[in-house]
Amino acid sequence: MYPNPSCAAATATLAATIAALFSTAPHAADQQLDSVVVTATRQATRSNEMTSDVSVITRAEIDQAGESTLAQLLARQPGIQYVANGGAGTNSGVFIRGASTNQSIVLIDGQRIGSATTGSAALSRIPLDQIERVEILRGPASSLYGADAIGGVIQIFTRGGEGPTRLNASSGYGSYNTTDTSVGVAGGTDVVSYSVQAGYLDTDGFNASNNRRNASYNRDRDGYYNKNLSANFSVRPASGQEIGVNLLASSGTNRYDANDFSALGAAQNYSSDQNVGSYSIYSRNRLHSAWTSTLRLGRSTDASKDYVGNVRDATFRTDMDLLSWQNDFRLPVGEALLAAEYTKQRVSGSTAYTVSERTIGSWLAGWNGNLDKHRLQLNLRRDNNSQFGGETTGSASYGYQFTPQWRAHIAYGTAFRAPTFNELYFPASFFFAGGNPDLKPERARNTELGVNWEQGGHRASAVIFNNEVSDLIEFRPPTFAPVNVSQALLRGVTLTYDGRFTEWAGGVAVDFLDPRNEENGPNKGNRLARRADQQMSSYLSRTFGNWELRGEWQLVGNRYEDPANRVRLGGYGLVNLYADYRLQRDWVFFARANNIFDKYYETADNYATAGANVFVGVRYAPK
């Protein structure tokens, strides 16, 4: 695994730039870039006190995303790559540290979402307008969240309310005849907090298929529209007592081209209606000065209807119910966690599965704390699945604060992925041997070492990880029945820097990834499909007066579409620009241009990506 010249040159140039800035920049304000996060421990913890690899996307960064999708925004973060089968609304996903798209968990306000048939969350259906912040935990986290957290966890927090009642609104227009509008109201007192946000997106899109020789090619625009709503409400009748509800609903339709081989090879116009929802009610109660209890009851849904023209072709629906009781204890040293969860997953639709529901009963325990310069975190979890039995996972991490600026951590953790309903029970057909009810979970063991430096408004880190994944599920020819056969090794290094100056800000993340097939056979040593071995994402911004300007540069190395590494997808570089102007105190005019050099590239073979595109709009956001 060696850096290619473009990434190496970019890294060297950036290092020189940073050095020059430090030698000439004024003293940075004593303002840390710390934030309080909950995903890494399931308890509120300051980011500079954690022994894990975490990053946060703020509302300010989301406001600057323009026409970008959630997956594209995530791909600008360290350790994340993305893949999409076309434009907005099409199937898309992210690889966290090289783990597949169904080897990571997505949460919305603490509620897990996703399809139990595919194993993935519909990131393309989650609108940025509804998001307040995103926390990303990299590395195995099954000891905290259960099955599927081999690569990590993405937790999305919808927009909340506090302070005087405020209205917010945003509307814009861009390339591909794209319109995006949202409006909301939020506020709160010491007793009540509330927020309601609604949005609508419509785009003509572009032709998702770009291979004229492909049987699915149809020269048309594959558009997408989406309407969405979020609502959060909480009441605090007494000190330390809170009851609340969280809601997110997203409904959209995208068009795409496919071939059902029933019309003499002619491509068909397909469309997919998909509804994604997350709904929960919780009660958080301080039962003692050292004991806080949180009881949550929720449901998430993922329902899709596929059409050929105007004729319904297939339907799939997942309902996931969750009941959890988490207890946080403040101890003389650190904080302890004890929790129990009950999850029920049900699938329904046009496919007749032999088994259509499963239950998972779980308990977990954890502790994290500081002892002088020492930091520790321990977690243990047991999941009992009605389909394949029990799995126990654990993690341990240790950190040490060498100086006020320097700290390091070492961590070890195990994780697993549960087989999906498709992998277990999908009916046999002429083309497919069907599911395999004897499948075992995929399992992973991860070791990582990280070093962090912080001073004033500057932060840098280096993380080395080694994740051994066994019992991977593959659809093996000639029958294409899913079997536990594969072994994989996900190892790499992530280097990051982020800094603030008086009027300037800049950052860079460089990833060197080695995602390899380790199974004995013809593909041993090959790179896992659709993963680049190198990636760089950087930005530079400046504010002056009422203006803010930002430039972004992203480099992604080459990838392979297939396990045999015969179909090569070329690397690419993207340059994006953003600018906003504060017309008045609460009004902002903004413009974003993505892929300004109109780079042609693919994240999946035969699927197009957006060319040069522009989005402009106005935002009303009282401070």
Side-chain angles (χ1 to χ4, degrees):
M1 180 178 62
Y2 300 98
N4 67 31
S6 59
C7 274
T11 306
T13 302
L14 184 71
T17 303
I18 293 172
L21 287 170
F22 272 116
S23 65
T24 60
H27 294 292
D30 294 330
Q31 170 188 341
Q32 296 294 328
L33 301 177
D34 305 325
S35 56
V36 175
V37 298
V38 299
T39 307
T41 60
R42 295 181 61 134
Q43 298 170 322
T45 308
R46 295 193 68 84
S47 60
N48 66 344
E49 295 179 349
M50 293 187 305
T51 55
S52 50
D53 186 12
V54 177
S55 59
V56 176
I57 302 175
T58 65
R59 183 64 222 177
E61 294 175 83
I62 296 170
D63 282 338
Q64 296 173 348
E67 200 176 344
S68 304
T69 65
L70 174 58
Q72 289 172 326
L73 182 61
L74 289 169
R76 296 171 196 149
Q77 299 298 309
I80 298 182
Q81 301 179 25
Y82 96 105
V83 61
N85 293 349
T90 58
N91 290 336
S92 63
V94 295
F95 305 119
I96 303 180
R97 288 184 174 179
S100 68
T101 56
N102 59 8
Q103 290 178 330
S104 296
I105 289 176
V106 178
L107 307 171
I108 297 180
D109 295 324
Q111 174 78 31
R112 181 170 175 172
I113 67 166
S115 167
T117 55
T118 67
S120 300
L123 293 179
S124 64
R125 305 302 173 120
I126 303 175
L128 293 179
D129 290 336
Q130 300 294 354
I131 301 174
E132 180 65 32
R133 62 190 263 119
V134 181
E135 295 180 3
I136 304 163
L137 170 62
R138 287 172 286 270
S142 287
S143 60
L144 284 167
Y145 296 101
D148 310 334
I150 288 178
V153 177
I154 297 168
Q155 180 152 206
I156 296 164
F157 296 90
T158 54
R159 300 174 78 160
E162 61 181 5
T165 299
R166 295 188 301 273
L167 177 72
N168 72 81
S170 176
S171 185
Y173 178 82
S175 303
Y176 309 118
N177 196 27
T178 300
T179 59
D180 189 4
T181 300
S182 70
V183 62
V185 61
T189 66
D190 291 339
V191 177
V192 175
S193 297
Y194 54 91
S195 172
V196 178
Q197 192 83 22
Y200 181 81
L201 168 72
D202 190 4
T203 179
D204 290 348
F206 50 85
N207 189 3
S209 176
N210 61 8
N211 184 352
R212 296 174 181 270
R213 296 185 297 273
N214 191 288
S216 298
Y217 181 80
N218 184 17
R219 189 174 181 177
D220 63 352
R221 289 196 169 196
D222 298 312
Y224 173 65
Y225 76 84
N226 176 278
K227 52 187 178 181
N228 49 83
L229 173 73
S230 71
N232 294 290
F233 178 81
S234 64
V235 59
R236 292 169 289 277
S239 177
Q241 315 301 317
E242 180 180 1
I243 299 173
V245 295
N246 305 119
L247 176 152
L248 173 68
S250 172
S251 176
T253 297
N254 74 287
R255 302 190 183 280
Y256 61 99
D257 300 325
N259 193 310
D260 62 4
F261 302 101
S262 63
L264 301 179
Q268 303 290 307
N269 288 316
Y270 277 66
S271 63
S272 178
D273 297 342
Q274 188 168 10
N275 299 324
V276 174
S278 174
Y279 324 95
S280 63
I281 181 170
Y282 66 89
S283 177
R284 183 176 297 113
N285 308 98
R286 191 170 65 231
L287 304 179
H288 183 272
S289 60
W291 177 16
T292 299
S293 164
T294 303
L295 186 66
R296 181 180 294 272
L297 176 64
R299 167 176 286 190
S300 67
T301 61
D302 187 311
S304 64
K305 300 175 183 178
D306 297 333
Y307 295 84
V308 182
N310 296 320
V311 180
R312 184 181 297 183
D313 183 57
T315 61
F316 295 92
R317 181 184 177 98
T318 295
D319 292 293
M320 189 158 20
D321 296 328
L322 170 69
L323 174 63
S324 70
W325 184 28
Q326 178 169 320
N327 297 273
D328 302 304
F329 301 95
R330 190 170 67 250
L331 305 177
V333 178
E335 288 186 274
L337 162 72
L338 289 175
E341 294 181 347
Y342 175 82
T343 303
K344 185 175 183 179
Q345 296 176 338
R346 296 187 305 278
V347 298
S348 58
S350 56
T351 299
Y353 292 95
T354 307
V355 177
S356 59
E357 68 178 45
R358 64 185 174 194
T359 59
I360 305 103
S362 313
W363 63 263
L364 59 146
W367 176 84
N368 69 89
N370 298 340
L371 297 169
D372 191 23
K373 296 181 179 181
H374 307 272
R375 293 168 180 166
L376 297 100
Q377 180 178 343
L378 304 171
N379 292 99
L380 184 68
R381 179 172 174 129
R382 176 71 176 179
D383 292 281
N384 293 301
N385 190 298
S386 61
Q387 287 178 317
F388 54 77
E391 284 288 326
T392 300
T393 51
S395 62
S397 56
Y398 167 75
Y400 186 77
Q401 190 79 39
F402 294 96
T403 70
Q405 294 79 31
W406 288 93
R407 73 178 189 275
H409 77 269
I410 186 170
Y412 175 82
T414 60
F416 73 103
R417 182 181 80 85
T420 68
F421 279 83
N422 282 354
E423 292 166 337
L424 289 165
Y425 306 119
F426 200 86
S429 67
F430 179 78
F431 298 101
F432 179 54
N436 179 0
D438 296 324
L439 288 174
K440 299 180 294 183
E442 300 175 343
R443 295 176 175 87
R445 297 178 298 170
N446 179 76
T447 304
E448 71 178 64
L449 175 66
V451 179
N452 295 77
W453 172 84
E454 299 170 359
Q455 183 171 358
H458 305 276
R459 169 174 295 177
S461 69
V463 179
I464 304 171
F465 60 90
N466 188 90
N467 195 359
E468 299 175 5
V469 188
S470 60
D471 290 328
L472 263 73
I473 298 170
E474 273 193 2
F475 294 86
R476 275 292 178 90
T479 64
F480 292 97
V483 289
N484 291 102
V485 291
S486 297
Q487 312 288 320
L489 179 61
L490 309 174
R491 59 185 176 187
V493 179
T494 297
L495 308 173
T496 65
Y497 165 80
D498 197 87
R500 301 288 186 271
F501 305 89
T502 304
E503 297 175 338
W504 291 86
V508 64
V510 180
D511 294 297
F512 300 107
L513 179 65
D514 188 18
R516 296 289 169 182
N517 186 329
E518 289 292 294
E519 183 202 0
N520 289 326
N523 294 330
K524 183 172 183 179
N526 286 358
R527 198 190 313 168
L528 298 180
R530 296 182 175 179
R531 279 82 153 179
D533 58 357
Q534 297 165 15
Q535 177 170 288
M536 187 274 288
S537 182
S538 63
Y539 80 94
L540 185 65
S541 68
R542 188 188 179 195
T543 58
F544 53 95
N546 293 330
W547 286 93
E548 179 173 2
L549 304 177
R550 177 184 172 100
E552 300 167 354
W553 183 28
Q554 187 175 21
L555 295 174
V556 180
N558 65 68
R559 290 137 294 129
Y560 293 98
E561 176 68 18
D562 59 324
N565 286 187
R566 295 193 179 110
V567 181
R568 186 176 182 272
L569 303 176
Y572 59 91
L574 302 177
V575 177
N576 309 320
L577 298 176
Y578 172 84
D580 68 42
Y581 178 76
R582 189 162 293 278
L583 302 168
Q584 297 178 1
R585 172 181 168 82
D586 301 328
W587 289 89
V588 176
F589 173 80
F590 63 89
R592 183 176 179 89
N594 284 337
N595 191 10
I596 64 171
F597 294 115
D598 199 27
K599 175 67 177 179
Y600 172 81
Y601 65 102
E602 294 177 346
T603 61
D605 191 34
N606 293 328
Y607 287 99
T609 52
N613 60 91
V614 177
F615 188 81
V616 298
V618 63
R619 182 168 54 246
Y620 175 73
K623 289 189 173 183

